[in-house]
Amino acid sequence: METVLSISSISKRYGKIQAVNDLSLDIRKGQVFGILGPNGSGKTTTLSIILELLKSDAGRFQWFGKAPSKESRKRIGSVIESPNFFPYLSPVINLKIVADIKDLGYGDIDRVLHLTGLYERRNTRFKTFSFGMKQRLAIASALLGSPDVLILDEPTNGLDPQGIAHIRELILQTASQGTTIIMASHLLDEVQKICSHVAVLSKGKKLFDGEVSKVLAISDSFEVAATDMDSLAGAVKLLPGFLSAAREGEKFLVYFNGVIRPDELNRFMFGKGIILTHLSERKRSLEQHFLELLRDNE
Ligand code: ATP
């Protein structure tokens, strides 16, 4: 899959604060990539750097396999600050102004108004819009000209549940048409619901990245039992990533550092001539994993 954005070792410091610390990431076409971290973890700074609104102190990044350029900028739409439009003008006029600035025709305006559910309100003044509608207009404006990438900073901040649902749907719909989405969020639940991939940031450092479904599947422990518990005790120690095993009644609770699938574990034991009589995973949620990662990094 084509790499859309490749970030290599970028860092940014504000005085004593290391806002971004040696961050590397690869984002591929079609991904809905969440940059997840608590307030102050460097998400906005990272987005500002890749949008060339800020210069990094070190490192580099490439868009579509090349150094950033006027051409690459045209392929990227973004909403990084609170929506800002002319209050007394309608969405249509506001979008015409944006289209002029972006050097685009007006042919795409109706499409983005329909997509964001604002078509019926196209001739009402912006100042009468709810916060959610303003946010959707900002996304509509970013989607003018069908960019290949849409970058959003905390897209559901300050919205009510209905507004949140609207924006989520809009992001998923945009992604389903092949647009790569890069979004910053401090909400784990949001990333779980929307994103295909995630990078977790804490104090400007990447703690972890990968497919959301794999992160969700992370299990740090298994319960296992076999008729010959002594052989089992010896064999579990040979498994990749083995950390420790503790006897719990008729079973062992085995901990691993990293991901191991139950079928791998089962096959491994079978290969050693051990037939398991019990095998069950103790799953961790992404939330537990996220909290552990943040705690470990404190
Ligand atoms: P939030 O969700 O609260 O915006 P964030 O993850 O987007 O957080 P950043 O806004 O990138 O984080 O901030 C990272 C760190 O850099 C924070 O400690 C912040 O206080 C600091 N910072 C950001 N911008 C500046 C600035 N212009 N001058 C000084 N420090 C800054």
Side-chain angles (χ1 to χ4, degrees):
M1 197 58 92
E2 182 195 335
T3 301
V4 166
L5 172 66
S6 177
I7 300 179
S8 319
S9 302
I10 58 167
S11 294
K12 175 78 186 173
R13 174 181 278 280
Y14 297 106
K16 280 189 184 148
I17 298 169
Q18 188 71 50
V20 179
N21 191 351
D22 196 25
L23 177 70
S24 297
L25 276 184
D26 278 318
I27 298 178
R28 292 178 209 287
K29 187 171 159 50
Q31 290 182 343
V32 180
F33 198 101
I35 300 179
L36 176 66
N39 289 337
S41 54
K43 306 181 295 294
T44 305
T45 305
T46 303
L47 296 187
S48 304
I49 291 170
I50 60 173
L51 283 167
E52 297 173 275
L53 303 170
L54 257 183
K55 253 186 109 45
S56 64
D57 303 329
R60 61 191 199 110
F61 60 94
Q62 288 194 320
W63 280 109
F64 314 105
K66 293 184 183 141
S69 63
K70 205 169 159 202
E71 279 65 47
S72 65
R73 280 191 285 282
K74 282 193 175 160
R75 298 174 67 183
I76 304 164
S78 65
V79 183
I80 185 145
E81 280 158 4
S82 336
N84 219 349
F85 292 96
F86 292 103
Y88 291 97
L89 300 180
S90 68
V92 170
I93 307 287
N94 269 299
L95 289 178
K96 281 186 176 171
I97 294 169
V98 175
D100 284 342
I101 295 168
K102 287 188 175 178
D103 212 8
L104 299 166
Y106 300 153
D108 206 23
I109 291 178
D110 280 0
R111 180 188 73 86
V112 297
L113 285 170
H114 276 298
L115 191 66
T116 50
L118 295 172
Y119 189 75
E120 301 305 320
R121 298 291 297 267
R122 66 192 179 284
N123 293 315
T124 3
R125 288 173 176 184
F126 175 73
K127 89 188 209 37
T128 66
F129 274 23
S130 69
F131 185 66
M133 289 162 77
K134 288 178 176 169
Q135 189 70 4
R136 277 187 278 146
L137 184 61
I139 297 180
S141 134
L143 287 172
L144 274 179
S146 298
D148 294 314
V149 184
L150 178 64
I151 300 182
L152 302 169
D153 192 6
E154 303 275 5
T156 63
N157 246 11
L159 296 178
D160 61 17
Q162 200 194 358
I164 292 174
H166 256 126
I167 297 288
R168 284 185 181 161
E169 231 170 82
L170 179 55
I171 294 173
L172 290 171
Q173 200 184 342
T174 307
S176 72
Q177 287 160 8
T179 310
T180 306
I181 314 272
I182 305 173
M183 55 175 268
S185 177
H186 67 285
L187 301 170
L188 181 71
D189 167 65
E190 176 157 294
V191 168
Q192 274 176 312
K193 289 203 169 108
I194 307 181
C195 297
S196 60
H197 292 73
V198 62
V200 178
L201 295 193
S202 170
K203 294 178 189 151
K205 251 190 138 25
K206 182 178 81 179
L207 300 183
F208 179 87
D209 65 344
E211 274 174 56
V212 169
S213 60
K214 287 217 175 112
V215 182
L216 278 169
I218 275 179
S219 64
D220 60 350
S221 60
F222 282 89
E223 286 176 7
V224 284
T227 32
D228 183 349
M229 290 295 273
D230 290 338
S231 310
L232 180 62
V236 288
K237 292 183 184 149
L238 305 173
L239 278 157
F242 169 84
L243 279 180
S244 66
R247 184 97 188 213
E248 275 192 356
E250 297 303 304
K251 301 165 202 149
F252 281 123
L253 182 59
V254 191
Y255 286 89
F256 294 94
N257 177 10
V259 185
I260 179 159
R261 293 197 322 266
D263 56 316
E264 283 173 328
L265 197 155
N266 205 357
R267 193 173 302 119
F268 182 89
M269 291 302 163
F270 192 75
K272 299 256 171 270
I274 297 167
I275 309 292
L276 295 177
T277 55
H278 178 89
L279 171 63
S280 82
E281 246 175 313
R282 288 197 183 171
K283 275 192 187 294
R284 280 191 300 184
S285 66
L286 180 57
E287 181 154 30
Q288 281 165 298
H289 192 218
F290 180 54
L291 292 174
E292 276 169 30
L293 284 170
L294 296 181
R295 197 191 51 221
D296 292 348
N297 201 50
E298 265 171 10

